[in-house]
Amino acid sequence: MPKNISVIDAPTTRTTPPRSLWLLGPALVAGVAYLDPGNVASNMTAGAQYGYLLVWVVIAGNVMAWLIQYLSAKLGVVTGQSLPEVLGSRLRNRWARRSYWLQAELVAMATDLAEIIGGAVALNLLFNVPLLLGGFITGAVSMILLTVQNRRGARPFEFVIIALMAIITIGFVAGVFVAPPDPAGVIGGLVPRFEGTGSVLLAASILGATIMPHAIYAHSALTRDRFGANPHQTPADATTEAARTETSRIRRLLTATRWDVTIAMIIAGSVNLGILLLAAANLAGVEGTDSLEGAHAALTAGLGPVVATFFAVGLLASGLASTSVGAYAGAEIMHGLLHVRIPLLARRLVTLIPALVILGLNVDPTLALVLSQVVLSFGIPFALIPLVALTAQKRTLGAWANRGFTTAAGIVASALLIALNAALLWLVLTGA
């Protein structure tokens, strides 16, 4: 595999790119990671405990997420490879590659843990299903969704995940229209500030649950699968006309990708903000809202069973969609770094085990969600730093390498996220 990958190395896979609307989709699938049960728990708790104080954190996290997801998508479009594949070819030392894979795999499993538990809790709230059985059901449904991806390809899988995203949006935002937030409070929440250590911890939790390593790995793979270039094409294969056609194709794909990421982040950001505003307007000061079960009970008491049911349905869709995308990311991590591809469904069974064991041991679901976010914090630097570095290199992206301003913004966002995740780890581990 050649070390240098540039736009002229790619073949002309389409002489006439499809309509721009048809190019949308990968970011919406990756964006499901921003609506997983960990996000729900963090935003609900922030609103219930601190009202509108952390509105600015949700918005800032969404802006940073836009840049990070776009860089990931661009890597897949231009190189025709996912981030794990690029790293797998660059990490020549076998043990370095395996070590990187191990941390990425642990992060993917921690993500899966939160999502399976979220689905199990939702089934328990809706149908009083025992948590362990709910975990099995969530895992089984996710396997069905992955079968769609295996047999029908990327596009049908995207349609299913986007449909689940629509359910998530309705489920979590419906309550905001029933009991609207205070406009003055929302505006006040746009001013960056904290109130004590607890608010810092929650801010770090919100950002930790927002920027997830597996979403970065998955997005580059999703764009590659949909319309990435072929990295195995040699420069000798490209004529001047072919190079011009490919340049035009990539330019159009990147324009569509920016729209795709923008739409996905607007949806994800609106839903996360809606969850926080729902809690701030209706659950402020209510006891027990630091858990998903407690938040559901408080919504039932304060806004009625209909809004609470919408919330539980949204949580269930969140668990099902996000765990499917997480399993997809985990398979890509293994393939890209270890050059081993095992059946996606078989891998799904293996990653279910930790979540089912925790549910079987009757570990507090909320505690498990918090601990999963701590594990995710460890993985943030390993995904962000290589992503920003690779997309800034001309030998990787050729003419499509980041401009100086983009690279600087990526470095600032990465440094801030790493610092806040480090703060989250310190606060959780020290009990501050």
Side-chain angles (χ1 to χ4, degrees):
M1 183 179 297
K3 292 182 180 179
N4 298 332
I5 301 170
S6 69
V7 63
I8 63 170
D9 297 332
T12 306
T13 56
R14 290 191 184 100
T15 55
T16 304
R19 290 172 296 179
S20 296
L21 184 62
W22 189 250
L23 300 177
L24 304 180
L28 292 171
V29 175
V32 165
Y34 296 87
L35 300 173
D36 80 332
N39 290 84
V40 178
S42 296
N43 289 307
M44 186 67 73
T45 302
Q49 293 187 3
Y50 291 96
Y52 303 102
L53 178 70
L54 300 180
V55 165
W56 68 275
V57 176
V58 176
I59 295 175
N62 215 57
V63 171
M64 289 187 284
W66 187 98
L67 175 62
I68 291 164
Q69 292 306 135
Y70 173 68
L71 294 181
S72 175
K74 182 169 75 166
L75 182 71
V77 168
V78 178
T79 68
Q81 293 180 294
S82 66
L83 177 59
E85 284 178 319
V86 175
L87 290 173
S89 66
R90 297 289 178 88
L91 295 172
R92 300 297 184 182
N93 183 284
R94 180 175 59 181
W95 292 107
R97 191 169 64 251
R98 289 178 177 176
S99 297
Y100 188 94
W101 165 79
L102 181 60
Q103 64 80 27
E105 194 69 36
L106 289 174
V107 166
M109 292 181 74
T111 302
D112 210 33
L113 172 67
E115 291 155 355
I116 292 293
I117 288 176
V121 170
L123 287 171
N124 178 261
L125 295 175
L126 287 168
F127 308 110
N128 202 29
V129 175
L131 289 176
L132 180 58
L133 178 58
F136 274 110
I137 294 173
T138 303
V141 174
S142 70
M143 291 179 68
I144 294 173
L145 297 181
L146 291 171
T147 300
V148 172
Q149 195 271 344
N150 264 347
R151 297 187 178 180
R152 300 297 181 88
R155 196 59 177 169
F157 181 65
E158 288 175 8
F159 285 142
V160 173
I161 298 300
I162 290 170
L164 287 172
M165 176 178 274
I167 296 173
I168 294 168
T169 302
I170 295 170
F172 289 147
V173 176
V176 176
F177 294 96
V178 175
D182 173 35
V186 176
I187 294 173
L190 296 175
V191 180
R193 66 191 191 283
F194 296 105
E195 290 181 3
T197 304
S199 64
V200 177
L201 174 60
L202 273 172
S205 297
I206 290 171
L207 291 175
T210 299
I211 313 295
M212 290 193 172
H214 80 283
I216 299 172
Y217 299 130
H219 202 171
S220 58
L222 288 164
T223 53
R224 173 208 63 196
D225 290 349
R226 277 288 302 279
F227 32 61
N230 180 2
H232 301 291
Q233 190 83 357
T234 62
D237 295 330
T239 65
T240 302
E241 180 61 29
R244 284 198 297 266
T245 302
E246 183 65 6
T247 298
S248 176
R249 186 185 80 94
I250 291 181
R251 181 178 293 111
R252 182 174 183 183
L253 289 176
L254 291 179
T255 299
T257 295
R258 284 191 287 271
W259 279 104
D260 192 23
V261 175
T262 299
I263 294 170
M265 292 300 100
I266 287 175
I267 294 173
S270 298
V271 173
N272 282 318
L273 184 59
I275 295 170
L276 187 148
L277 296 180
L278 176 66
N282 303 281
L283 304 181
V286 178
E287 293 293 330
T289 51
D290 54 349
S291 69
L292 294 173
E293 300 92 335
H296 179 265
L299 287 174
T300 302
L303 299 180
V306 174
V307 171
T309 300
F310 270 105
F311 173 81
V313 170
L315 181 63
L316 177 59
S318 168
L320 294 175
S322 55
T323 193
S324 301
V325 175
Y328 172 88
E332 182 59 37
I333 289 167
M334 177 173 286
H335 166 66
L337 292 166
L338 298 187
H339 311 301
V340 174
R341 189 180 290 280
I342 63 173
L344 193 56
L345 297 182
R347 192 188 181 285
R348 164 80 287 186
L349 287 173
V350 173
T351 55
L352 276 176
I353 294 174
L356 296 178
V357 168
I358 286 178
L359 291 172
L361 294 175
N362 293 318
V363 175
D364 177 41
T366 302
L367 175 61
L369 283 172
V370 171
L371 292 177
S372 72
Q373 300 307 307
V374 172
V375 176
L376 288 175
S377 299
F378 281 107
I380 287 286
F382 294 99
L384 284 181
I385 294 174
L387 176 68
V388 174
L390 288 170
T391 54
Q393 293 176 352
K394 287 191 176 296
R395 77 180 184 115
T396 303
L397 295 190
W400 306 103
N402 298 340
R403 296 179 179 179
F405 175 79
T406 304
T407 299
I411 291 173
V412 171
S414 299
L416 181 59
L417 287 167
I418 291 169
L420 282 172
N421 277 276
L424 171 62
L425 283 174
W426 182 80
L427 291 170
V428 170
L429 296 178
T430 61

